[in-house]
Amino acid sequence: MKKYFLLAILVGASVFVSAQTFKLTGHVRSGISTAFDGAKGEDNDDINSFSAATWTKGDYFGDDEFSRIRLDGEFFGTEKKFGASIRYQYAGSFDKIAFSDKQITYANAWGKFLDQKLFVSGGRIKDMFFTSTGFEQFTFITKKTGGYAVYSIMPELKIGGAIVQDYLYSYSKGEKFYPRKNGYDNGTKEFGKNAFVGGINFTKDFFSFRGAIAAAGAGYANVNLKFANGIKFSAEGIYQKQKTRNEFRMGKAEIQKMKSAQFVFVENIEYTGIDKLLLGIASYQHFKDETYTDKDGDTLNFFSIIPAVKYNLLDSLSFSVESTIRIFDSRYKGDTDTYANIIPRADFEIAKGFTATVYGDISTDTDRRKNSIGAGVCVVF
């Protein structure tokens, strides 16, 4: 009898495991580059600086530029009614690879309820609904700690909200700390309205709209359009109160593109209607309140235009060229002359999932951006 009982347990366990799915994906990419910047050596001679932290350059095809290790773990339960996600990511030179909580981009568990219309997730969040899907991809809750819930009113329309601790003030020994000071562990968190974020997602055929509002004092919106002739268009806009800018880390926009701006608008148009050819252009506009000046006295409005073209000569070989043209407000305290950099690049797919890249970075103003060349490899699995 015991034998049959154990056999039944084993069969039941195997059925349970077979109904679950675990998937590990990611990539490893690394590169070397040298910049002709005239840095001074031991004998005060000009030298060219070297870096092993850059995979490739570029604002359009460069994808954040850094050498990087990324591991994504995804677990799906029975009928994908529950699951978990985790990402480890390290970016920079591989001579000092770190393994700590700072490299865990997200780690969360999720489940679906009410006939799978209600989605609930908690942990270090991975936002799967409200992050904008345009060129920049703004988000207020990915990489933040807390929880969020999303309800599908209809297949095309979803609304939801999040509570995150990252926008809360901390207190230690009677002293108040802003969230962006010394990371997240500053003492006791004071719960308040700043924890709340709301979002909306509407997707229908060729049109989609996403947006979010953070009670801490920020909001963004994103519209995407797809046309049958191979044209895609996206527009994104984000706003932060100046106080919010100073005190909070409001997602990817804060880290990468906001600089000292309060408004940022991003547009992108791509055309793929010609076989093997991609034509694209992106544009950024940064605006700051005229009454505000930073510590250097800048009242900076900043614009950039990024035209790009890519041609797949062979299945395993592509060439691309992109340029970032920077235009400065005349009130800017520094150099206001327009300048650009041009990046020609070649990608060789040596085997499925293994790509080698060579590129150059040519600047029209070497005082502000140096000329450089580099090469990199990337393995995707």
Side-chain angles (χ1 to χ4, degrees):
M1 189 68 180
K2 284 185 179 180
K3 181 167 63 175
Y4 293 111
F5 180 69
L6 292 174
L7 181 60
I9 291 177
L10 290 174
V11 170
S14 65
V15 169
F16 177 80
V17 171
S18 65
Q20 322 301 309
T21 302
F22 179 77
K23 182 171 63 172
L24 181 65
T25 59
H27 65 249
V28 178
R29 69 188 196 195
S30 182
I32 56 174
S33 65
T34 182
F36 310 106
D37 59 3
K40 300 299 181 181
E42 184 177 358
D43 299 321
N44 206 35
D45 296 327
D46 288 347
I47 62 171
N48 299 325
S49 61
F50 174 84
S51 173
T54 305
W55 166 62
T56 185
K57 290 287 186 73
D59 293 314
Y60 204 97
F61 300 119
D63 187 28
D64 299 340
E65 300 187 351
F66 296 108
S67 296
R68 185 164 71 189
I69 299 171
R70 174 182 286 180
L71 297 174
D72 287 332
E74 295 278 355
F75 170 76
F76 299 99
T78 306
E79 298 179 354
K80 294 188 177 181
K81 291 182 179 179
F82 63 94
S85 304
I86 186 168
R87 169 176 286 180
Y88 166 85
Q89 179 167 292
Y90 170 81
S93 177
F94 287 177
D95 63 342
K96 51 181 179 181
I97 296 174
F99 293 91
S100 71
D101 63 323
K102 292 181 180 180
Q103 277 67 54
I104 303 299
T105 305
Y106 51 74
N108 64 94
W110 55 266
K112 296 179 181 179
F113 307 92
L114 302 179
D115 199 23
Q116 303 197 43
K117 290 184 178 181
L118 178 65
F119 176 94
V120 178
S121 176
R124 185 167 288 187
I125 298 171
K126 174 187 178 183
D127 177 16
M128 295 184 280
F129 297 94
F130 305 125
T131 297
S132 68
T133 53
F135 190 76
E136 179 58 24
Q137 300 182 357
F138 296 129
T139 178
F140 289 152
I141 62 175
T142 290
K143 303 182 184 180
K144 307 304 181 185
T145 302
Y148 77 113
V150 180
Y151 185 75
S152 297
I153 297 176
M154 59 184 71
E156 300 86 0
L157 178 61
K158 299 175 177 64
I159 60 171
I163 298 177
V164 294
Q165 72 169 18
D166 301 68
Y167 305 137
L168 295 176
Y169 296 107
S170 300
Y171 287 85
S172 179
K173 298 180 180 178
E175 184 179 358
K176 182 178 181 179
F177 291 91
Y178 297 140
R180 65 181 299 172
K181 183 177 181 180
N182 301 325
Y184 304 128
D185 299 321
N186 301 319
T188 302
K189 297 286 184 183
E190 180 191 38
F191 185 73
K193 69 178 180 62
N194 286 354
F196 294 97
V197 178
I200 186 171
N201 176 340
F202 179 83
T203 303
K204 178 74 172 178
D205 300 328
F206 61 89
F207 173 82
S208 70
F209 172 83
R210 292 187 178 198
I213 296 176
Y220 65 79
N222 163 228
V223 171
N224 297 286
L225 295 169
K226 293 182 181 179
F227 301 95
N229 57 2
I231 295 176
K232 294 191 302 183
F233 170 79
S234 69
E236 298 165 283
I238 189 170
Y239 168 74
Q240 297 182 18
K241 292 180 179 178
Q242 192 58 51
K243 184 173 184 289
T244 304
R245 265 277 310 140
N246 291 340
E247 297 179 6
F248 300 94
R249 295 191 182 278
M250 300 300 293
K252 183 178 179 182
E254 157 65 20
I255 296 169
Q256 291 196 347
K257 299 294 184 183
M258 285 299 283
K259 297 182 172 33
S260 55
Q262 291 177 270
F263 289 95
V264 176
F265 299 99
V266 188
E267 304 83 33
N268 177 224
I269 300 176
E270 277 192 358
Y271 174 65
T272 56
I274 301 174
D275 187 38
K276 299 183 178 181
L277 182 67
L278 182 152
L279 299 173
I281 186 167
S283 179
Y284 284 84
Q285 302 91 48
H286 299 72
F287 297 99
K288 184 190 292 184
D289 187 337
E290 291 187 22
T291 62
Y292 173 79
T293 57
D294 64 19
K295 64 181 180 180
D296 297 319
D298 297 339
T299 54
L300 173 63
N301 291 337
F302 170 74
F303 309 89
S304 61
I305 303 170
I306 312 167
V309 58
K310 183 176 183 179
Y311 182 71
N312 297 312
L313 182 64
L314 303 169
D315 290 340
S316 59
L317 175 62
S318 66
F319 295 97
S320 63
V321 179
E322 65 174 272
S323 176
T324 300
I325 304 162
R326 300 165 180 85
I327 304 167
F328 296 88
D329 189 314
S330 61
R331 297 171 300 167
Y332 182 43
K333 185 178 179 181
D335 191 343
T336 60
D337 291 340
T338 296
Y339 81 100
N341 66 294
I342 303 165
I343 300 176
R345 168 175 166 174
D347 293 287
F348 307 86
E349 189 176 30
I350 298 170
K352 186 175 172 129
F354 178 29
T355 304
T357 301
V358 293
Y359 67 90
D361 187 354
I362 305 163
S363 175
T364 63
D365 187 338
T366 55
D367 289 332
R368 287 187 283 179
R369 185 182 179 102
K370 306 304 179 182
N371 295 325
S372 65
I373 57 173
V377 292
C378 179
V379 173
V380 178
F381 54 89

